[in-house]
Amino acid sequence: MVAEAQFVVRIPEAIYQEMVSHIVAGYPNEACGALGSINHEVVKNYPTANAAEEPDDFSIISEADIVRIYNAIDDYDGDMIYYHSHPKSEAYPSARDIDWAKRSGYLYLIFSHRHYPEPPYARIFAISPEGGVTEGAIERFS
Ligand SMILES: [Zn+2]
């Protein structure tokens, strides 16, 4: 369904593992946070609480956290990448994710615990204002 990767996001292994720890700690709920990136290279991890009313079903970063992270990333002219986990389903944007993503314009990194207790795996997507989903590639480096 998804064609070849259209973009690449590079993530330092240490930050990737930090994200995985945060995501695993949130299980069986969805966990979420944001990454700051410069030219598609991740430079900082901002794990947050999940502010959704039903955190086993959806994840939302609170307005206060978003503003704080947005300002922090703005300080180094970076871009925000939103990340969250799917406890049961594939690491692919849900209809609700697409609805939110197309308004925000952020890249979406999604983890899946589908093979729990194996570690969650991640995929990354760009979602257009029309709701079109394009998959990118994640390149981990140390
Ligand atoms: Zn989702």
Side-chain angles (χ1 to χ4, degrees):
M1 217 163 68
V2 177
E4 251 179 90
Q6 299 294 308
F7 60 94
V8 177
V9 174
R10 289 167 45 79
I11 307 179
E13 186 63 25
I15 289 184
Y16 186 86
Q17 291 307 332
E18 258 178 56
M19 258 196 309
V20 168
S21 300
H22 176 60
I23 290 295
V24 167
Y27 185 85
N29 284 336
E30 290 199 12
C32 57
L35 299 170
S37 70
I38 297 172
N39 296 329
H40 282 189
E41 182 164 319
V42 171
V43 293
K44 195 140 172 56
N45 176 27
Y46 305 91
T48 70
N50 180 357
E53 276 179 35
E54 290 167 359
D56 59 331
D57 190 46
F58 198 61
S59 51
I60 297 172
I61 299 179
S62 74
E63 193 68 31
D65 278 337
I66 279 284
V67 169
R68 175 179 59 83
I69 295 166
Y70 181 87
N71 288 334
I73 292 175
D74 198 44
D75 277 349
Y76 50 83
D77 262 340
D79 294 305
M80 194 186 298
I81 297 172
Y82 176 70
Y83 71 86
H84 72 289
S85 59
H86 288 171
K88 295 196 179 74
S89 58
E90 176 53 50
Y92 192 84
S94 66
R96 210 169 160 196
D97 288 334
I98 291 171
D99 219 45
W100 280 66
K102 64 186 184 189
R103 280 178 265 157
S104 73
Y106 305 138
L107 293 180
Y108 260 52
L109 190 154
I110 304 178
F111 284 92
S112 172
H113 289 282
R114 228 152 54 104
H115 304 304
Y116 189 87
E118 280 178 40
Y121 60 91
R123 297 171 68 183
I124 193 159
F125 304 91
I127 296 164
S128 74
E130 295 76 33
V133 176
T134 306
E135 181 159 19
I138 295 171
E139 190 182 303
R140 287 149 62 180
F141 68 98
S142 31

